[in-house]
Amino acid sequence: MTNKLLRRSGPPLLAVVLLLVIWELYVKVYQVQAWLLPAPTAIIREALSNWPRVQMHTLATLEIALLGFFLGTAVGLVLAIVLHSLAPLRQALYPLLILSQNIPIIALAPLLVVWFGFGVLPKVLIIALMCFFPILIAALQGLDYPDGAMLDYMRMIGAKPAQIFLKLELPNSLPHVFSGLKVAATYSMMGAVISEWLGAQQGLGVYMRLAASSFRTDRVFVSIFVIVALSLLFFASIVYLERNLIRWNSRREGN
Amino acid sequence: MLELKRVNMHYKTKEQCIGVLQDISLQVERGEFVAIIGPSGCGKSTLFKLIGGLLTPTAGEVWLDGEEITGKTGHISYVPQHSTLFPWRTVESNAALALEIAGVPKKKALAEVRSWLPRLGLGGYELAYPDALSGGMQQRVSFLRALLSPQELMCLDEPFGALDALTRSEMQQWLLDIWEEHRRTVLLVTHSIEEALLMADRVYVLSPRPARVLAEVPVPFARPRTAATIALPEFVALRQEIHSMLASNKE
């Protein structure tokens, strides 16, 4: 197991390390100014020396990201089930839902701030708005298209619509839902930073903007590193959850 | 038990009318094993969809136990061509599915399944997932699922069609043994003459599309039947007769 893990994660890890080494050497050899491009070691040094502040901002971002993610997931799943069961409602709402994804967040965010103030709520709403859509689409796909032979079988032996939903469509949608969750997880971190950009007291988005306006490029990179690390961690925990929940599917997946 | 009365089925498209079944009449008595044999693509699957109530015939009626069930689902138990086990259910929970659908509490259904699995050579596989099973084992789980369901009539849609020759003949023998012990009412669709003659009490021979009943052949061989039955001169002669009947009716 550890061997397999090592063999699979070895090459990408090596690529990242190599990239960092090249970066470091380039900065050192060409003596690039720190405000243009700081060396990776300088970035790590800055992160460590400034850790309490970085940690405070990280926790703030993580909080709204998770809140938004869970709200978006809940809305996405409930909507999927409702739209799956009520065809007329689906016809009416589907174009609106797609439209909701075409509104530029940059335009919407200030409005939400006007309506709901500078607190946590408008930010969570932005993140949820970005997260619910991939989950909704994925869940609908899974609910709508179970295997045709299985559906025929269920109907032939006299399964009622509720039984078909609970015993066939719902479990069938689970792997699809997880695909949606993975997309939503990465969206949620991105959404959190964007929403903080548009007005907040704390969070990595704020930290990043302040750092950029005072030419502390090293701090900008610290926040980028933290965001990337958090996104990966979030993604990995969903993959872990998927492996444990959907045991039947794990062997068929290549990633 | 089951009776099809002059069942006709055709699909209409814009250009033409495609006949699938033409005046099919047949009966299956309680406790009888009846096989339907026909060339591939003759509409056998359509026939099962009609009996199962997924389709309504263009003309004709389907009766079961004195009740008309034309276009009504839920009256048969079914073994599809491919096992259609649910990949997210374990072996035992797959086998319990038809009982659950019929309203049997899950605990009771599982207990019944567990008492059966060893008899099907599936002891120790209770908690395995279907993708860990061979094709023959999957088909046995699918068969158990149908065997345990409360509907008396079992419809088997080429249940061994997707298996290799060796597994296939093993499974035929296995099904024969189980059937001879329990005598459920069975309607088997197959395109193997040998399979039909080995298993059934009576065989209906269908023509190519649109399918008509060419002949109704009683199968006289004594039970229990074994691999030795296939070698009987009467068996070979009957097989030959049906073979030439099918051959002479090719389009």
Side-chain angles (χ1 to χ4, degrees):
Chain A
M1 189 62 212
T2 18
N3 242 332
K4 202 175 144 198
L5 202 71
L6 210 68
R7 228 177 318 136
R8 273 201 344 218
S9 55
L13 222 65
L14 199 71
V16 170
V17 170
L18 208 67
L19 189 75
L20 289 175
V21 168
I22 292 172
W23 178 353
E24 182 83 28
L25 285 177
Y26 178 83
V27 171
K28 287 278 148 65
V29 169
Y30 292 96
Q31 301 196 321
V32 181
Q33 297 282 319
W35 58 268
L36 261 179
L37 183 68
T41 44
I43 295 168
I44 292 166
R45 216 177 308 128
E46 169 61 27
L48 291 176
S49 68
N50 210 357
W51 186 244
R53 262 183 79 193
V54 173
Q55 191 187 25
M56 187 264 286
H57 289 302
T58 304
L59 288 178
T61 302
L62 198 60
E63 186 194 335
I64 59 166
L66 286 178
L67 279 174
F69 173 79
F70 286 124
L71 181 66
T73 303
V75 171
L77 289 180
V78 170
L79 259 179
I81 291 172
V82 170
L83 295 191
H84 171 73
S85 337
L86 299 171
L89 195 66
R90 177 185 191 146
Q91 268 184 327
L93 288 188
Y94 208 69
L96 276 178
L97 290 167
I98 293 170
L99 209 68
S100 79
Q101 296 307 295
N102 291 325
I103 303 170
I105 293 291
I106 297 291
L108 190 67
L111 275 179
L112 288 173
V113 170
V114 171
W115 294 334
F116 301 107
F118 283 95
V120 169
L121 185 63
K123 300 178 186 63
V124 170
L125 285 180
I126 288 174
I127 300 162
L129 197 67
M130 288 172 79
C131 288
F132 90 93
F133 195 67
I135 292 171
L136 169 70
I137 296 297
L140 271 181
Q141 175 80 18
L143 288 172
D144 289 350
Y145 302 109
D147 181 89
M150 289 184 193
L151 187 60
D152 276 353
Y153 174 78
M154 287 292 269
R155 288 172 55 206
M156 223 185 260
I157 65 168
K160 293 173 198 71
Q163 289 174 319
I164 290 179
F165 175 74
L166 284 175
K167 293 180 199 291
L168 177 60
E169 290 168 341
L170 209 57
N172 182 65
S173 75
L174 210 53
H176 296 266
V177 168
F178 269 99
S179 309
L181 286 179
K182 285 181 210 165
V183 178
T186 44
Y187 278 14
S188 72
M189 284 309 295
M190 217 160 62
V193 173
I194 290 174
S195 69
E196 284 166 353
W197 255 354
L198 299 161
Q201 278 86 44
Q202 50 182 358
L204 288 169
V206 178
Y207 186 65
M208 196 189 268
R209 207 175 58 164
L210 287 177
S213 56
S214 56
F215 293 98
R216 287 300 302 265
T217 312
D218 51 348
R219 290 188 180 167
V220 175
F221 272 102
V222 167
S223 35
I224 291 176
F225 276 23
V226 171
I227 290 162
V228 168
L230 281 181
S231 287
L232 281 177
L233 202 68
F234 202 178
F235 193 86
S237 18
I238 288 175
V239 171
Y240 177 80
L241 202 66
E242 182 181 23
R243 294 252 161 91
N244 282 283
L245 258 167
I246 313 182
R247 295 228 304 281
W248 76 86
N249 220 14
S250 58
R251 245 164 306 163
R252 258 171 264 164
E253 259 186 326
N255 59 347
Chain B
M1 172 88 202
L2 176 78
E3 190 175 5
L4 267 62
K5 295 180 180 170
R6 300 179 68 91
V7 167
N8 280 273
M9 187 75 195
H10 51 252
Y11 295 105
K12 263 194 190 124
T13 63
K14 265 179 196 157
E15 295 83 28
Q16 53 183 350
C17 179
I18 304 163
V20 183
L21 303 174
Q22 191 183 324
D23 269 343
I24 303 268
S25 293
L26 55 84
Q27 301 95 39
V28 184
E29 300 306 325
R30 185 172 282 270
E32 198 183 19
F33 195 131
V34 172
I36 295 176
I37 185 158
S40 38
C42 80
K44 288 172 294 192
S45 297
T46 306
L47 193 62
F48 267 166
K49 284 190 176 168
L50 287 171
I51 297 171
L54 291 189
L55 294 173
T56 308
T58 322
E61 291 165 4
V62 184
W63 287 72
L64 186 79
D65 276 336
E67 183 193 352
E68 193 185 346
I69 58 157
T70 318
K72 289 184 193 159
T73 58
H75 292 275
I76 60 164
S77 97
Y78 182 51
V79 180
Q81 190 167 5
H82 300 283
S83 62
T84 65
L85 298 178
F86 291 11
W88 52 84
R89 286 179 164 242
T90 56
V91 163
E92 59 176 20
S93 146
N94 258 301
L97 179 66
L99 282 171
E100 277 177 49
I101 297 297
V104 176
K106 184 145 192 181
K107 248 189 178 162
K108 206 178 148 213
L110 282 179
E112 194 165 348
V113 166
R114 287 194 193 113
S115 73
W116 267 91
L117 284 173
R119 276 190 265 173
L120 277 80
L122 288 162
Y125 285 94
E126 286 83 358
L127 296 176
Y129 285 94
D131 67 348
L133 266 55
S134 71
M137 289 162 96
Q138 291 186 9
Q139 208 50 274
R140 267 178 277 169
V141 178
S142 169
F143 182 83
L144 179 60
R145 181 173 67 177
L147 189 71
L148 293 182
S149 66
Q151 296 92 342
E152 164 65 22
L153 177 66
M154 282 178 76
C155 290
L156 280 53
D157 185 2
E158 293 185 39
F160 312 132
L163 304 176
D164 62 88
L166 193 66
T167 315
R168 189 181 177 128
S169 76
E170 275 174 19
M171 291 287 291
Q172 286 169 352
Q173 192 56 53
W174 169 85
L175 177 57
L176 257 183
D177 293 344
I178 290 222
W179 185 81
E180 280 165 1
E181 191 182 335
H182 295 275
R183 300 270 168 167
R184 275 280 280 271
T185 311
V186 173
L187 180 61
L188 167 77
V189 158
T190 175
H191 53 237
S192 155
I193 304 173
E194 197 172 285
E195 186 168 286
L197 290 180
L198 179 65
M199 315 266 238
D201 300 315
R202 227 152 25 91
V203 175
Y204 286 95
V205 184
L206 297 187
S207 72
R209 238 175 221 215
R212 291 169 290 116
V213 176
L214 287 177
E216 183 192 334
V217 183
V219 184
F221 312 114
R223 295 182 187 271
R225 296 180 190 161
T226 60
T229 312
I230 299 172
L232 291 172
E234 299 94 315
F235 188 97
V236 177
L238 197 53
R239 187 177 65 189
Q240 204 51 47
E241 190 189 323
I242 294 177
H243 186 82
S244 48
M245 200 187 301
L246 284 168
S248 66
N249 270 284
K250 274 209 174 110
E251 305 120 298

